[in-house]
Amino acid sequence: MVYDVIILGSGPAGWTAGIYTVRAGHKTLLIAGIRWGGQLMLTTLVENFPGFPDGIQGPELMMNMQKQSEKLGVEVMNTDFTQADFTSTPFKITADGKVYEAKSVIITTGADSIWLGVPGEMQLRGKGVSTCATCDAFFFRNKDVVVVGGGDSAMEEALYLSQVAKSVTIVHRRDAFRASRAMQDRVLANKKIKILWNKMITKYLGTDHVTGVMLKDTVSGSEEEWKTDGVFVAIGHKPNTDFFKGIELDSKGYIVRKEVFDRDGLLKYRSATNVPGVFVAGDVFDYRYKQAITAAGFGCMAALDADRYLSELHSSP
Ligand code: NAP
């Protein structure tokens, strides 16, 4: 049997895409992965997803999305795929040693935050340690926070936090940022933001909540304790694109999303990839917004694009 659509990934983009493709009458398989649910499975209270006036726990939100998709008819496999071959049609996805075929595929495999990997980080995630200022800045109103990193993400996190926090300290392991000049200038001009050059965090302090960090000077090797209420790690993301064959990636491994126009110059697909019939949604291409709600929106767009592709495929002679 060949599926109309196979969706790879089970974050907000994947479940939303599934809801739309089954409701459009397409036989849909969603390969969720063993570690299903994406980044929201690692978060606690989500207050910025509309529809939940008191907020909702990240894992509960994901379980609701799964339930909704399954109820509407999405077939779900809680297993990892090991290869996705887009070099011929139907597309071939290998999972659990079996090959599943589809006329169209929507890739929503997301991106994982890169963590520092130092003692205390795992235990204090959601208890003062975060990788998303947009999600968590609210909890640090009038508090002291640290941002780690020297790229555009770190600049953006620091600027965002400076609007609510009492103070923001950027900890960077070198004596120069790699962020764009414009972002650096905005950070350097911001009176609330202080920079600690040549420093790295070697340990988080606190048991129930972050109370500080140990900082090591990367030049002298000396260590000191630094008190803070929160730490935002902004040292990059790793897109989950290891198993794709035939899909164009950018230099950082993100999928290249393309717009496709019809013969009259009107926008036809916004979620296309280099392979006709393969669409993309969520953090696996989007390094800019990275929100649950934007991922869900991109999932909807990719499903509508896949629907149009399938309609044209079925009506072509
Ligand atoms: P990035 O550019 O790769 O920067 C990562 C930063 O983290 C670097 O400064 C790096 O230090 C530091 N770092 C890496 N590993 C570390 C570790 N183990 N300990 C301490 N520091 C560590 O990543 P990004 O900032 O997430 O940006 C990713 C891409 O998205 C970039 O192309 C960026 O331009 C783009 N982006 C654009 C915007 C925007 O246009 N508004 C916003 C966000 C991101 P070193 O410098 O020493 O290597």
Side-chain angles (χ1 to χ4, degrees):
M1 191 212 18
V2 178
Y3 286 93
D4 292 320
V5 184
I6 290 183
I7 296 167
L8 302 174
S10 54
W15 296 121
T16 307
I19 288 167
Y20 274 78
T21 55
V22 277
R23 292 190 78 253
H26 300 302
K27 184 140 187 63
T28 301
L29 171 68
L30 185 148
I31 302 184
I34 293 169
R35 204 172 49 97
W36 75 276
Q39 296 279 303
L40 279 185
M41 297 303 274
L42 308 173
T43 56
T44 50
L45 190 65
V46 178
E47 284 190 317
N48 56 7
F49 200 93
F52 302 94
D54 300 320
I56 182 167
Q57 294 291 316
E60 192 188 347
L61 179 60
M62 297 322 296
M63 277 186 260
N64 286 349
M65 287 192 198
Q66 171 169 19
K67 260 192 230 159
Q68 188 176 350
S69 312
E70 286 194 294
K71 196 170 159 194
L72 289 166
V74 176
E75 223 177 284
V76 178
M77 271 176 62
N78 285 316
T79 185
D80 290 333
F81 67 93
T82 48
Q83 194 181 69
D85 186 350
F86 302 119
T87 55
S88 61
T89 53
F91 305 120
K92 291 172 188 56
I93 313 296
T94 309
D96 271 349
K98 275 203 224 152
V99 175
Y100 298 85
E101 293 187 323
K103 296 173 194 164
S104 174
V105 171
I106 300 176
I107 302 175
T108 72
T109 44
D112 291 330
S113 300
I114 302 174
W115 295 88
L116 292 173
V118 301
E121 191 166 58
M122 286 292 280
Q123 300 87 303
L124 290 165
R125 273 192 209 179
K127 296 172 183 165
V129 180
S130 170
T131 53
C132 177
T134 318
C135 319
D136 297 331
F138 182 77
F139 304 115
F140 296 89
R141 189 167 291 279
N142 297 324
K143 299 204 164 163
D144 299 311
V145 296
V146 159
V147 172
V148 190
D152 280 326
S153 296
M155 303 302 112
E156 217 165 52
E157 300 279 274
L159 290 165
Y160 192 87
L161 284 158
S162 71
Q163 298 170 61
V164 291
K166 183 162 78 182
S167 76
V168 179
T169 304
I170 299 180
V171 170
H172 184 39
R173 63 184 178 184
R174 290 189 294 127
D175 62 357
F177 288 141
R178 74 168 57 232
S180 56
R181 190 74 252 164
M183 295 289 274
Q184 291 194 34
D185 287 347
R186 285 177 63 197
V187 162
L188 296 170
N190 188 312
K191 291 201 166 55
K192 261 198 191 173
I193 303 176
K194 175 189 167 92
I195 298 153
L196 295 179
W197 302 105
N198 299 316
K199 296 274 192 284
M200 54 196 275
I201 293 178
T202 54
K203 189 181 173 183
Y204 293 88
L205 305 173
T207 40
D208 297 335
H209 204 274
V210 170
T211 54
V213 288
M214 287 306 293
L215 290 181
K216 182 175 177 179
D217 190 295
T218 54
V219 179
S220 69
S222 64
E223 291 221 40
E224 63 175 313
E225 193 177 320
W226 185 268
K227 285 201 176 10
T228 186
D229 300 305
V231 179
F232 287 80
V233 180
I235 60 171
H237 287 79
K238 187 188 174 306
N240 297 313
T241 50
D242 288 347
F243 299 113
F244 300 131
K245 223 171 136 186
I247 285 288
E248 185 183 345
L249 307 177
D250 71 12
S251 61
K252 299 228 170 190
Y254 287 88
I255 292 180
V256 177
R257 184 178 74 146
K258 295 179 188 289
E259 291 187 341
V260 173
F261 296 85
D262 68 13
R263 260 187 256 140
D264 301 321
L266 298 172
L267 183 65
K268 188 173 179 185
Y269 304 129
R270 183 156 271 164
S271 326
T273 64
N274 60 310
V275 181
V278 180
F279 300 93
V280 63
D283 295 7
V284 70
F285 86 86
D286 165 38
Y287 60 72
R288 175 69 182 83
Y289 299 101
K290 297 180 285 194
Q291 300 301 298
I293 191 72
T294 50
F298 287 132
C300 164
M301 278 191 245
L304 295 177
D305 286 352
D307 177 44
R308 178 158 178 189
Y309 173 82
L310 289 166
S311 312
E312 289 188 4
L313 196 69
H314 293 154
S315 63
S316 61

